[in-house]
Amino acid sequence: MRPVLIFALIGVIFMFGAPYVLQLFTIINLTTAIALAVLALSLALVWGFGGILCFGQVAFFGLGAYAYTMGAINFGGSTWAILLAIAVPCAFAAILGYFVFFGRVSDVYLGVITLTVTLIFFSLIRRTSGPDFKIGIAQIGGFNGVTSPPLNLPWDTSAFLFPEQVFYVAMAALILCYIFCGWLVNTHFGRVCVGIRENELRAELLGYDSRLYKLGIFTISAGIAAIGGVLFCNGVGRITPDVFNLYNAALTIIWVIVGGRGTLIGPVAATFGLFYLTSALGGQSTLNNNLVLGIILIFFVLLVPKGVAPTIIDWTARRRKPRRASRRARRPRSEGRSA
């Protein structure tokens, strides 16, 4: 937990220092990047430590955003809407995961199923234009999307949070989710999930039901992705069906590949880096964003397959080994001289 707490402390320092240094427009963009970082963290957990390639992690992300928006409009506040936004994707993931994992669906087909579910959401919500398609008093909005009510204080539904305050909430949520994931992978549950990732048959021979552990980490990752969806619709101000499209599904995979599977901080850092890279490329017309992202993906798959964070960790470990060996070689000589 020591590295997790160190990075969390750096995040706390950044959370309280950024609003005094950065402009309001940058803070708003940072809130969006933080929401996407929470999404990447959820995939880093379920794929990197659970061995489950969920190609449709944005399904839970978008479902959480829509559940929050519909709930906030109907409830007249964000407190119960946040709980609803987490509960709905978790319940959906539990139902989907039950049929997938207890049906012994292989990893390849699992990726196809989750991607198909995401595209179904994308196509279905785009067809909900018009006043007839609504949940309670909230219209779904179809391809135009719907405006998301801002966060408010739990004890006062009329006290809405300003963008700087939403930034604080988003950073606090990212830090807490990061600490929770770091704690989870170090528990008995997390170690068993890693063991199932490495060798599922051996884990089952040791008496562990891999289906239950897979279902558990799959559901937990859906809840974390839903938190990212709540932050995203608050940062952007509205939610549209485009959140379910194939581009966002593939982009989430790229974040984890570039940052490094098997780490938590790597995908988070890669999300921030690629978010601002694509934002910078959006201001010019020479290079296409998809082309650049494709080149980055091919580069990391071929030349840096472990990702940035594991490569840095391995490089640091290799540099420490010669130093430790030289220190051990010097100890007998110094002890002989002193004797």
Side-chain angles (χ1 to χ4, degrees):
M1 286 295 294
R2 183 178 299 176
V4 173
L5 295 177
I6 291 174
F7 285 117
L9 179 60
I10 295 173
V12 171
I13 296 173
F14 177 77
M15 177 177 68
F16 288 105
Y20 295 98
V21 179
L22 303 176
Q23 297 179 353
L24 178 60
F25 177 76
T26 306
I27 292 296
I28 295 174
N29 282 339
L30 265 176
T31 304
T32 305
I34 292 167
L36 298 176
V38 175
L39 171 62
L41 182 65
S42 69
L43 183 61
L45 176 66
V46 71
W47 187 21
F49 293 89
I52 303 171
L53 176 55
C54 181
F55 210 101
Q57 197 71 8
V58 292
F60 311 120
F61 180 81
L63 193 61
Y66 267 100
Y68 166 81
T69 302
M70 299 294 107
I73 294 175
N74 282 280
F75 296 145
S78 63
T79 304
W80 292 104
I82 294 174
L83 299 177
L84 179 67
I86 299 174
V88 170
C90 285
F92 178 76
I95 296 172
L96 177 64
Y98 174 80
F99 289 104
V100 170
F101 299 124
F102 282 80
R104 296 291 183 180
V105 176
S106 63
D107 296 337
V108 176
Y109 290 104
L110 172 62
V112 174
I113 290 173
T114 53
L115 178 60
T116 303
V117 170
T118 304
L119 296 180
I120 288 174
F121 276 123
F122 174 69
S123 178
L124 182 64
I125 296 179
R126 284 178 61 89
R127 300 173 184 272
T128 57
S129 300
D132 296 333
F133 297 95
K134 58 183 180 179
I135 300 176
I137 62 173
Q139 293 186 6
I140 301 176
F143 57 87
N144 291 320
V146 58
T147 302
S148 299
L151 293 171
N152 60 263
L153 296 177
W155 55 87
D156 189 358
T157 57
S158 62
F160 298 109
L161 301 185
F162 293 102
E164 296 91 342
Q165 296 170 322
V166 175
F167 167 77
Y168 286 125
V169 173
M171 273 301 301
L174 174 59
I175 293 170
L176 291 176
C177 289
Y178 176 70
I179 294 175
F180 170 76
C181 291
W183 168 81
L184 184 66
V185 299
N186 284 285
T187 61
H188 176 74
F189 173 82
R191 293 191 182 98
V192 173
C193 288
V194 172
I196 294 172
R197 180 198 68 185
E198 296 297 324
N199 194 320
E200 184 174 352
L201 178 60
R202 182 175 296 179
E204 290 183 342
L205 291 175
L206 292 174
Y208 297 106
D209 190 346
S210 63
R211 301 171 300 179
L212 288 176
Y213 284 92
K214 284 185 173 182
L215 180 61
I217 197 169
F218 186 69
T219 305
I220 293 171
S221 71
I224 296 174
I227 295 174
V230 173
L231 299 175
F232 179 80
C233 64
N234 275 277
V236 176
R238 64 185 297 106
I239 186 67
T240 65
D242 292 336
V243 72
F244 296 105
N245 62 23
L246 182 60
Y247 173 80
N248 290 321
L251 193 59
T252 312
I253 302 292
I254 294 175
W255 292 333
V256 178
I257 291 176
V258 172
R261 278 186 61 199
T263 65
L264 296 174
I265 192 62
V268 172
T271 303
F272 283 102
L274 293 178
F275 175 81
Y276 281 99
L277 175 62
T278 53
S279 298
L281 292 174
Q284 51 83 43
S285 58
T286 304
L287 297 175
N288 184 271
N289 287 358
N290 295 332
L291 176 62
V292 174
L293 290 175
I295 294 173
I296 292 174
L297 176 62
I298 294 173
F299 173 81
F300 277 89
V301 169
L302 296 179
L303 301 180
V304 194
K306 292 183 178 180
V308 174
T311 302
I312 294 175
I313 293 172
D314 293 344
W315 178 78
T316 305
R318 285 195 300 267
R319 286 182 61 88
R320 287 180 178 177
K321 286 181 180 180
R323 294 179 181 177
R324 292 177 180 176
S326 61
R327 290 176 183 176
R328 292 174 182 174
R330 292 174 184 175
R331 285 177 184 176
R333 295 180 182 177
S334 60
E335 291 175 358
R337 291 175 183 177
S338 61

